[in-house]
């Protein structure tokens, strides 16, 4: 993992854990981990493209967290 990938991974997981709904939260964490595992061996330009895509996904995730806080749902049985 490159020096920019690890902080991005931490940021994505941190944001995913702020999602209110249990199902969406667990899906987001699984998706982040799976995406990083899939792209683990990328180098050069491919890695740079994957990092940019991850940064865009982080912004989307931040917006989803804000929307979830504006319109909270009831607590799940799993929580």
């Amino acid at each position: 993992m490159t020096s920019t990938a690890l902080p991005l991974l931490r940021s994505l997981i941190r944001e995913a854990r702020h999602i209110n709904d249990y199902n969406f939260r667990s899906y987001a964490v699984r998706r982040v981990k799976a995406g990083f595992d899939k792209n683990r061996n990328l180098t050069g330009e491919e890695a740079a493209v994957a990092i940019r895509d991850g940064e865009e996904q982080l912004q989307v995730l931040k917006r989803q967290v804000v929307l979830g806080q504006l319109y909270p749902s009831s607590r799940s049985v799993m929580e």
Side-chain angles (χ1 to χ4, degrees):
M1 243 183 239
T2 64
S3 62
T4 56
L6 194 56
L8 179 60
L9 172 64
R10 288 182 183 142
S11 296
L12 282 164
I13 290 176
R14 191 176 304 120
E15 278 303 315
R17 289 190 177 148
H18 289 158
I19 296 175
N20 288 334
D21 187 79
Y22 171 80
N23 290 322
F24 290 131
R25 181 174 56 243
S26 61
Y27 171 76
V29 170
R30 267 195 329 266
R31 179 86 168 98
V32 166
K33 290 179 181 178
F36 271 84
D37 284 341
K38 177 184 153 202
N39 295 325
R40 179 181 301 262
N41 297 321
L42 294 180
T43 58
E45 185 61 32
E46 293 174 331
V49 169
I51 294 291
R52 275 187 299 235
D53 184 46
E55 290 170 349
E56 290 173 8
Q57 292 303 315
L58 177 60
Q59 298 305 316
V60 169
L61 195 54
K62 285 181 179 183
R63 287 192 297 269
Q64 285 300 118
V65 167
V66 169
L67 282 175
Q69 291 170 349
L70 290 174
Y71 304 103
S73 61
S74 60
R75 300 293 279 182
S76 171
V77 176
M78 298 296 290
E79 296 179 290

